[in-house]
Amino acid sequence: MKPSKRNERSCLPGMENTGFKLAISAKDALPRVTPSSYPLEFRERMLGRVKQPLGDLFGLTNFGVNLTRLAPRAVSALRHAHSRQDEFVYILEGYPTLVTEAGATALSPGMCTGFRAGTGDGHQLVNMTDADVVYLEVGDRSPGDKATYPDDDLQALLGEDKKWQFLHKDGTPY
């Protein structure tokens, strides 16, 4: 079935000058320019993770959506928990391991998991397989959010400018 003219438009009526698209193929979204915003001493641990921001392409500001790919042995993030931000993950391809305070949980395509703000339960996905893992991640962008990292000397504060400020656990900046 041929797409209608409406579906062929590159943007919604009235949004022609915003630069935001109506629809895209997610796999064609450009990867994030900076692979990690962590301080330098933690960035190497993010090798093998590629995030393709999707929500930003449509001008979404209240929450973010990423298509994320983990190469074999890569991790989604340092194990962390948020004070104000909820997170949701939906597995599209591969078999990651979810690591939380409760231990390790095997995930597979079609499974999803969520992390409620304020629980303090640190979480991360780890690809312990020889094949890539691909998932969608969704999180809100609550100013004043604080991320704690139980396994590392790190904490992060999300400013009004929606940029993370990284500190040691004793409060000194990186």
Side-chain angles (χ1 to χ4, degrees), residues 121-138:
D121 189 1
H123 57 273
Q124 76 178 154
L125 295 178
V126 180
N127 184 0
M128 297 180 185
T129 73
D130 291 327
D132 284 0
V133 167
V134 179
Y135 58 93
L136 281 174
E137 60 185 358
V138 180

